[in-house]
Amino acid sequence: MEALKKYHFSVFALVLLCFLLPFINVFSFGQRLASLTGIQLTFGVSIEQANTNPFQRSQPKKDEGGELFAMIAFGAAILGLLLSFQKKRFIGPAIMAGLGLASIIALKIKIDNDVLRELRGRAQLEYAVGFILAAILYLMAFCLYVYLVKHKE
């Protein structure tokens, strides 16, 4: 119990590290087209588009803004980490863990729907290690902080 109370903040630190790992891999006909990290999903990425004009030398770039649910999940990890340093107050980190978990799930649903709508099945998504670990760690953090709230001394 003392170890939980001493190192409980580390779960949010691990979630933040997961955002540096690949979140999503995009495949088309078995070939990987792109791999996006959590940071790229949060803050946006510049994507090179295929050059269809033979007279144009440079490839046009398309700036994709960040995903709202990825921003919420990232912000919840930062706020959860900051709130976890408060002594004997565990309700704030519990709320941030729940918000982070809900936003990770909402991000998956949104991306699945966007890919289905825009690419009409021509591409497949694979949720990579960063996404899966972030979801598991958010669930663990939620359970941990609910336990700490209920068993507060």
Side-chain angles (χ1 to χ4, degrees), residues 44-152:
V45 64
S46 184
I47 300 172
E48 288 188 21
Q49 295 179 321
N51 191 358
T52 57
N53 186 349
F55 300 108
Q56 187 179 16
R57 289 187 179 202
S58 65
Q59 293 181 341
K61 288 190 175 186
K62 182 180 179 185
D63 290 332
E64 291 289 330
E67 291 287 338
L68 175 65
F69 293 119
M71 291 178 199
I72 293 170
F74 189 75
I78 291 173
L79 283 174
L81 181 63
L82 294 175
L83 290 173
S84 67
F85 287 111
Q86 291 181 333
K87 298 284 184 193
K88 297 191 182 206
R89 293 197 178 167
F90 301 117
I91 192 71
I95 292 170
M96 290 299 113
L99 178 65
L101 180 62
S103 61
I104 285 282
I105 292 168
L107 176 65
K108 181 188 183 317
I109 292 168
K110 183 185 181 307
I111 289 175
D112 286 346
N113 288 338
D114 287 350
V115 167
L116 185 63
R117 183 181 65 243
E118 291 180 20
L119 298 177
R120 294 181 183 86
R122 293 185 302 237
Q124 295 83 33
L125 292 179
E126 175 186 89
Y127 290 92
V129 66
F131 183 88
I132 294 166
L133 281 176
I136 291 170
L137 287 168
Y138 266 130
L139 180 62
M140 287 175 53
F142 182 73
C143 294
L144 169 69
Y145 283 105
V146 167
Y147 175 81
L148 289 173
V149 166
K150 287 193 171 241
H151 293 90
K152 188 167 47 170

